[in-house]
PDB file of all heavy atoms in Angstrom:
ATOM      1  N   PHE A 299       3.343   7.499  62.891  1.00 98.00           N
ATOM      2  CA  PHE A 299       4.071   6.750  63.909  1.00 98.00           C
ATOM      3  C   PHE A 299       3.623   7.212  65.286  1.00 98.00           C
ATOM      4  O   PHE A 299       3.436   8.405  65.520  1.00 98.00           O
ATOM      5  CB  PHE A 299       5.581   6.957  63.760  1.00 98.00           C
ATOM      6  CG  PHE A 299       6.204   6.137  62.661  1.00 98.00           C
ATOM      7  CD1 PHE A 299       5.435   5.487  61.706  1.00 98.00           C
ATOM      8  CD2 PHE A 299       7.582   6.013  62.578  1.00 98.00           C
ATOM      9  CE1 PHE A 299       6.019   4.719  60.706  1.00 98.00           C
ATOM     10  CE2 PHE A 299       8.181   5.262  61.582  1.00 98.00           C
ATOM     11  CZ  PHE A 299       7.403   4.612  60.640  1.00 98.00           C
ATOM     12  N   GLY A 300       3.461   6.264  66.213  1.00 98.00           N
ATOM     13  CA  GLY A 300       3.033   6.614  67.558  1.00 98.00           C
ATOM     14  C   GLY A 300       2.293   5.455  68.186  1.00 98.00           C
ATOM     15  O   GLY A 300       2.569   4.288  67.886  1.00 98.00           O
ATOM     16  N   ALA A 301       1.341   5.754  69.036  1.00 98.00           N
ATOM     17  CA  ALA A 301       0.531   4.724  69.689  1.00 98.00           C
ATOM     18  C   ALA A 301      -0.778   4.557  68.919  1.00 98.00           C
ATOM     19  O   ALA A 301      -1.495   5.535  68.691  1.00 98.00           O
ATOM     20  CB  ALA A 301       0.251   5.110  71.136  1.00 98.00           C
ATOM     21  N   HIS A 302      -1.076   3.331  68.515  1.00 98.00           N
ATOM     22  CA  HIS A 302      -2.306   3.021  67.777  1.00 98.00           C
ATOM     23  C   HIS A 302      -3.125   2.037  68.604  1.00 98.00           C
ATOM     24  O   HIS A 302      -3.212   0.845  68.287  1.00 98.00           O
ATOM     25  CB  HIS A 302      -1.980   2.449  66.404  1.00 98.00           C
ATOM     26  CG  HIS A 302      -1.424   3.438  65.436  1.00 98.00           C
ATOM     27  ND1 HIS A 302      -2.232   4.262  64.671  1.00 98.00           N
ATOM     28  CD2 HIS A 302      -0.149   3.763  65.121  1.00 98.00           C
ATOM     29  CE1 HIS A 302      -1.475   5.043  63.907  1.00 98.00           C
ATOM     30  NE2 HIS A 302      -0.206   4.752  64.166  1.00 98.00           N
ATOM     31  N   GLU A 303      -3.714   2.544  69.645  1.00 96.00           N
ATOM     32  CA  GLU A 303      -4.462   1.697  70.568  1.00 96.00           C
ATOM     33  C   GLU A 303      -5.626   1.016  69.850  1.00 96.00           C
ATOM     34  O   GLU A 303      -6.402   1.658  69.133  1.00 96.00           O
ATOM     35  CB  GLU A 303      -4.982   2.522  71.741  1.00 96.00           C
ATOM     36  CG  GLU A 303      -5.661   1.706  72.823  1.00 96.00           C
ATOM     37  CD  GLU A 303      -6.075   2.539  74.023  1.00 96.00           C
ATOM     38  OE1 GLU A 303      -5.773   3.752  74.031  1.00 96.00           O
ATOM     39  OE2 GLU A 303      -6.690   1.977  74.939  1.00 96.00           O
ATOM     40  N   GLY A 304      -5.740  -0.285  70.045  1.00 94.00           N
ATOM     41  CA  GLY A 304      -6.869  -1.024  69.496  1.00 94.00           C
ATOM     42  C   GLY A 304      -6.679  -1.497  68.066  1.00 94.00           C
ATOM     43  O   GLY A 304      -7.534  -2.235  67.546  1.00 94.00           O
ATOM     44  N   ARG A 305      -5.581  -1.102  67.418  1.00 97.00           N
ATOM     45  CA  ARG A 305      -5.362  -1.535  66.038  1.00 97.00           C
ATOM     46  C   ARG A 305      -4.398  -2.718  66.006  1.00 97.00           C
ATOM     47  O   ARG A 305      -3.500  -2.821  66.844  1.00 97.00           O
ATOM     48  CB  ARG A 305      -4.803  -0.386  65.196  1.00 97.00           C
ATOM     49  CG  ARG A 305      -5.758   0.788  65.061  1.00 97.00           C
ATOM     50  CD  ARG A 305      -5.216   1.827  64.093  1.00 97.00           C
ATOM     51  NE  ARG A 305      -5.176   1.308  62.722  1.00 97.00           N
ATOM     52  CZ  ARG A 305      -4.682   2.015  61.693  1.00 97.00           C
ATOM     53  NH1 ARG A 305      -4.173   3.228  61.905  1.00 97.00           N
ATOM     54  NH2 ARG A 305      -4.671   1.500  60.482  1.00 97.00           N
ATOM     55  N   THR A 306      -4.563  -3.577  65.036  1.00 97.00           N
ATOM     56  CA  THR A 306      -3.687  -4.731  64.888  1.00 97.00           C
ATOM     57  C   THR A 306      -2.544  -4.403  63.931  1.00 97.00           C
ATOM     58  O   THR A 306      -2.615  -3.452  63.141  1.00 97.00           O
ATOM     59  CB  THR A 306      -4.457  -5.932  64.344  1.00 97.00           C
ATOM     60  OG1 THR A 306      -4.954  -5.608  63.028  1.00 97.00           O
ATOM     61  CG2 THR A 306      -5.615  -6.294  65.260  1.00 97.00           C
ATOM     62  N   GLY A 307      -1.535  -5.246  63.968  1.00 98.00           N
ATOM     63  CA  GLY A 307      -0.422  -5.060  63.061  1.00 98.00           C
ATOM     64  C   GLY A 307      -0.826  -5.190  61.610  1.00 98.00           C
ATOM     65  O   GLY A 307      -0.362  -4.429  60.753  1.00 98.00           O
ATOM     66  N   ARG A 308      -1.717  -6.123  61.315  1.00 98.00           N
ATOM     67  CA  ARG A 308      -2.133  -6.295  59.921  1.00 98.00           C
ATOM     68  C   ARG A 308      -2.916  -5.079  59.430  1.00 98.00           C
ATOM     69  O   ARG A 308      -2.844  -4.711  58.254  1.00 98.00           O
ATOM     70  CB  ARG A 308      -2.932  -7.588  59.755  1.00 98.00           C
ATOM     71  CG  ARG A 308      -4.291  -7.621  60.406  1.00 98.00           C
ATOM     72  CD  ARG A 308      -4.907  -9.007  60.365  1.00 98.00           C
ATOM     73  NE  ARG A 308      -4.254  -9.921  61.299  1.00 98.00           N
ATOM     74  CZ  ARG A 308      -4.467 -11.240  61.303  1.00 98.00           C
ATOM     75  NH1 ARG A 308      -5.281 -11.799  60.428  1.00 98.00           N
ATOM     76  NH2 ARG A 308      -3.855 -12.002  62.195  1.00 98.00           N
ATOM     77  N   ASP A 309      -3.671  -4.448  60.331  1.00 98.00           N
ATOM     78  CA  ASP A 309      -4.403  -3.236  59.978  1.00 98.00           C
ATOM     79  C   ASP A 309      -3.428  -2.103  59.648  1.00 98.00           C
ATOM     80  O   ASP A 309      -3.611  -1.367  58.667  1.00 98.00           O
ATOM     81  CB  ASP A 309      -5.318  -2.843  61.147  1.00 98.00           C
ATOM     82  CG  ASP A 309      -6.157  -1.627  60.854  1.00 98.00           C
ATOM     83  OD1 ASP A 309      -6.532  -1.431  59.685  1.00 98.00           O
ATOM     84  OD2 ASP A 309      -6.444  -0.862  61.796  1.00 98.00           O
ATOM     85  N   LEU A 310      -2.381  -1.970  60.449  1.00 98.00           N
ATOM     86  CA  LEU A 310      -1.382  -0.930  60.206  1.00 98.00           C
ATOM     87  C   LEU A 310      -0.685  -1.148  58.869  1.00 98.00           C
ATOM     88  O   LEU A 310      -0.517  -0.212  58.075  1.00 98.00           O
ATOM     89  CB  LEU A 310      -0.360  -0.906  61.338  1.00 98.00           C
ATOM     90  CG  LEU A 310      -0.860  -0.444  62.700  1.00 98.00           C
ATOM     91  CD1 LEU A 310       0.198  -0.678  63.766  1.00 98.00           C
ATOM     92  CD2 LEU A 310      -1.254   1.029  62.668  1.00 98.00           C
ATOM     93  N   PHE A 311      -0.258  -2.397  58.615  1.00 98.00           N
ATOM     94  CA  PHE A 311       0.457  -2.633  57.363  1.00 98.00           C
ATOM     95  C   PHE A 311      -0.459  -2.443  56.164  1.00 98.00           C
ATOM     96  O   PHE A 311      -0.020  -1.933  55.118  1.00 98.00           O
ATOM     97  CB  PHE A 311       1.072  -4.031  57.339  1.00 98.00           C
ATOM     98  CG  PHE A 311       1.933  -4.242  56.124  1.00 98.00           C
ATOM     99  CD1 PHE A 311       3.142  -3.583  56.004  1.00 98.00           C
ATOM    100  CD2 PHE A 311       1.519  -5.066  55.089  1.00 98.00           C
ATOM    101  CE1 PHE A 311       3.937  -3.740  54.868  1.00 98.00           C
ATOM    102  CE2 PHE A 311       2.308  -5.233  53.953  1.00 98.00           C
ATOM    103  CZ  PHE A 311       3.516  -4.572  53.847  1.00 98.00           C
ATOM    104  N   ALA A 312      -1.713  -2.834  56.287  1.00 98.00           N
ATOM    105  CA  ALA A 312      -2.646  -2.632  55.177  1.00 98.00           C
ATOM    106  C   ALA A 312      -2.764  -1.151  54.831  1.00 98.00           C
ATOM    107  O   ALA A 312      -2.796  -0.777  53.646  1.00 98.00           O
ATOM    108  CB  ALA A 312      -4.018  -3.204  55.542  1.00 98.00           C
ATOM    109  N   GLU A 313      -2.802  -0.297  55.860  1.00 98.00           N
ATOM    110  CA  GLU A 313      -2.894   1.150  55.607  1.00 98.00           C
ATOM    111  C   GLU A 313      -1.699   1.649  54.811  1.00 98.00           C
ATOM    112  O   GLU A 313      -1.843   2.392  53.824  1.00 98.00           O
ATOM    113  CB  GLU A 313      -2.991   1.910  56.933  1.00 98.00           C
ATOM    114  CG  GLU A 313      -3.065   3.415  56.757  1.00 98.00           C
ATOM    115  CD  GLU A 313      -3.131   4.164  58.084  1.00 98.00           C
ATOM    116  OE1 GLU A 313      -3.558   3.570  59.089  1.00 98.00           O
ATOM    117  OE2 GLU A 313      -2.754   5.356  58.105  1.00 98.00           O
ATOM    118  N   ALA A 314      -0.497   1.246  55.229  1.00 98.00           N
ATOM    119  CA  ALA A 314       0.705   1.687  54.524  1.00 98.00           C
ATOM    120  C   ALA A 314       0.768   1.114  53.115  1.00 98.00           C
ATOM    121  O   ALA A 314       1.120   1.820  52.150  1.00 98.00           O
ATOM    122  CB  ALA A 314       1.941   1.291  55.318  1.00 98.00           C
TER     123      ALA A 314
END
Side-chain angles (χ1 to χ4, degrees):
F299 281 13
H302 289 275
E303 185 176 357
R305 296 186 67 183
T306 63
R308 68 189 73 191
D309 182 32
L310 292 171
F311 186 70
E313 179 181 336

